[in-house]
Amino acid sequence: MSAVVAISNADRIRAVLADVPDPEIPAVSVLDLGIVREIGVDAVTITPTYTGCPATIAIEQSIRAALDANGFVDVAIATTLSPPWSTDWISDEGREKLRAYGIAPPPKGAGASALKNQTLAECPRCGSSNTEEISRFGSTPCKALWRCKACAEPFDRFKCH
Amino acid sequence: MDAVATYALRLGDDSLILGQRLSEWCGHAPALEVDLSLANVALDQIGQATHFLNLAGELEGKGRDGDALAFRRDVMDFTNCLLVEQPNGDFAQTIARQFLFSHYQELLFTALMASKNATIAAIAAKAVKETAYHAVLASDWVVRLGDGTDESKARMIAGLDWMWRFADELFAMDDVDAAAIKAGVGIDKAALRSSWDTRIDAVLAEATLMRPASRRPVLGGRVGRHSEHLGHLLTEMQFLQRAYPGATW
Ligand SMILES: [Zn+2]
């Protein structure tokens, strides 16, 4: 077996998925968000972020299209609800991408405990923690509206979930 | 449908009808933030409904999926509680309905995470996190309106007064519940009442509001005896599938 062949199908599928953007936050991939739970030989298992997330079907369609385009026509997509998706599954890289995109990432490990979002968000523009929540529900189910009191800019915060 | 399928159907119908009601606010709410909030809560409810109704259809085994159950049943086949079909009224009335229902739903889903039906347990575990947000949102508004101006307080009192008569039905138990409990799938809803009372009373106290006077509870939604309001809701929700049966995107 040559070294080239040693790249497994799972790794190749992973590389394909790393280029599939989230339809509502295209700065991050479905891998960054932790939507992809398992990459098997013949199936990719994904989980929805929010029960009512309207992007769930779009995400599945984009993954299907990417798999097909890269020769993985026979790889199925399975959906699982359990265990429920948590913002703790967003990768470190994903968090940095969110910040660079202008969305304050959720604090790591806060998914279970910080439901009430008591920790202050860090302004993705100036880095100040002198911020306040405007509305817990924002432009998409996963985001809340915040405002920075230092630089006066409004910004989205990825909700702890 | 057997008792377990009916149990899933009831869960789905509650979420579906409340989601449809809330979506009526889209573009009409008093402020942009409120509009976004209510639309998001509606989406969560409709997402829950999709899962529960798909399950009910699977358990029934007659080839009906969630869409068929949502769009091709008539009013007397719906099993939602009467609370969720109540008209939105003004914003305070909508908040009153959400307040009473979301605290119930959060307690219900917390308990249903232990259901022996793996799908119900999974939906509950996922949805309970969202429902907790809904309960906080509604409670915050009960306090803001209740402890607000004379006008907002009067409206909050009127909204709660209207919705209160439908609260008892949330905790009412019947043969379907008993069979679902026996199967290890359902939970004792009556046992949630004291926790619900504690939560509701705490928020009402903060909102400087009195608990509405007890009145004769209105029941019947679970067995298809609905108010006139539900039929009107369905005419809008089901219009497309009634006009163009089987239409798909
Ligand atoms: Zn700033």
Side-chain angles (χ1 to χ4, degrees):
Chain A
M1 190 189 269
S2 75
V4 179
V5 183
I7 298 171
S8 69
N9 257 13
D11 287 339
R12 289 172 54 219
I13 292 171
R14 184 173 297 279
V16 169
L17 297 178
D19 283 332
V20 177
D22 176 82
E24 283 179 343
I25 313 171
V28 288
S29 76
V30 293
L31 276 188
D32 293 325
L33 281 180
I35 293 169
V36 178
R37 299 315 301 152
E38 204 181 329
I39 300 174
V41 186
D42 48 14
V44 171
T45 305
I46 59 174
T47 191
T49 51
Y50 281 72
T51 314
C53 183
T56 304
I57 295 168
I59 288 170
E60 192 175 329
Q61 286 170 343
S62 340
I63 292 177
R64 182 73 272 156
L67 289 173
D68 290 353
N70 288 277
F72 294 106
V73 179
D74 293 333
V75 175
I77 300 172
T79 301
T80 181
L81 290 181
S82 183
W85 177 81
S86 159
T87 44
D88 291 345
W89 295 350
I90 300 176
S91 67
D92 290 345
E93 205 188 332
R95 284 165 208 275
E96 275 322 302
K97 287 181 188 170
L98 285 171
R99 200 191 313 278
Y101 190 64
I103 300 171
K108 215 175 172 183
S113 59
L115 179 65
K116 294 198 168 104
N117 291 300
Q118 277 143 346
T119 53
L120 290 175
E122 227 174 62
C123 171
R125 287 183 181 77
C126 74
S128 171
S129 291
N130 186 13
T131 55
E132 62 181 348
E133 185 183 79
I134 301 170
S135 171
R136 193 155 296 151
F137 293 81
S139 53
T140 66
C142 57
K143 286 178 282 180
L145 274 176
W146 280 63
R147 170 165 48 209
C148 176
K149 292 196 259 188
C151 73
E153 286 289 329
F155 62 92
D156 276 332
R157 181 195 210 183
F158 214 101
K159 284 196 285 203
C160 308
H161 196 74
Chain B
M1 279 194 189
D2 69 8
V4 174
T6 304
Y7 197 79
L9 186 75
R10 290 175 173 187
L11 291 168
D13 282 349
D14 277 0
S15 296
L16 178 69
I17 300 304
L18 184 56
Q20 175 69 17
R21 270 284 180 246
L22 288 168
S23 71
E24 292 170 9
W25 273 107
C26 195
H28 300 277
L32 178 62
E33 290 79 6
V34 175
D35 209 283
L36 290 171
S37 303
L38 296 177
N40 271 303
V41 177
L43 275 175
D44 288 340
Q45 297 291 341
I46 290 168
Q48 294 165 12
T50 307
H51 290 303
F52 283 128
L53 294 181
N54 278 335
L55 174 65
E58 267 170 44
L59 292 170
E60 183 194 42
K62 289 185 182 165
R64 293 201 284 183
D65 63 2
D67 280 345
L69 289 169
F71 298 124
R72 295 186 214 164
R73 275 183 300 156
D74 213 338
V75 61
M76 284 164 73
D77 298 324
F78 274 81
T79 61
N80 57 279
C81 60
L82 298 171
L83 176 67
V84 294
E85 73 194 43
Q86 294 308 305
N88 287 333
D90 61 10
F91 179 61
Q93 186 168 315
T94 292
I95 287 299
R97 185 184 60 204
Q98 200 64 42
F99 173 59
L100 303 183
F101 187 77
S102 289
H103 281 287
Y104 156 76
Q105 205 181 33
E106 189 184 351
L107 293 166
L108 174 73
F109 286 166
T110 302
L112 282 175
M113 285 164 65
S115 172
K116 275 191 197 160
N117 181 294
T119 306
I120 289 179
I123 301 167
K126 184 154 188 65
V128 73
K129 301 205 279 181
E130 297 150 14
T131 303
Y133 270 103
H134 308 167
V136 170
L137 172 82
S139 301
D140 284 353
W141 275 108
V142 168
V143 173
R144 278 173 78 171
L145 297 174
D147 192 16
T149 64
D150 289 346
E151 170 86 14
S152 71
K153 187 180 192 113
R155 287 177 182 239
M156 196 65 243
I157 289 170
L160 283 166
D161 192 52
W162 178 261
M163 295 298 174
W164 196 258
R165 72 198 75 193
F166 305 107
D168 285 329
E169 190 184 26
L170 299 174
F171 308 97
M173 302 283 287
D174 65 9
D175 291 351
V176 169
D177 291 291
I181 289 174
K182 206 172 167 204
V185 171
I187 60 115
D188 181 3
K189 288 186 289 180
L192 304 176
R193 182 70 196 242
S194 65
S195 302
W196 183 85
D197 280 333
T198 306
R199 283 163 163 250
I200 296 297
D201 287 342
V203 176
L204 291 180
E206 200 188 336
T208 68
L209 295 172
M210 303 278 287
R211 174 185 262 258
S214 290
R215 49 174 86 230
R216 189 177 59 84
V218 190
L219 307 168
R222 300 294 181 211
V223 291
R225 288 200 304 273
H226 293 283
S227 60
E228 186 191 346
H229 307 299
L230 184 61
H232 293 283
L233 179 148
L234 295 183
T235 57
E236 183 163 320
M237 187 181 84
Q238 298 180 331
F239 166 77
L240 197 127
Q241 284 298 328
R242 284 176 182 272
Y244 307 97
T248 54
W249 290 109

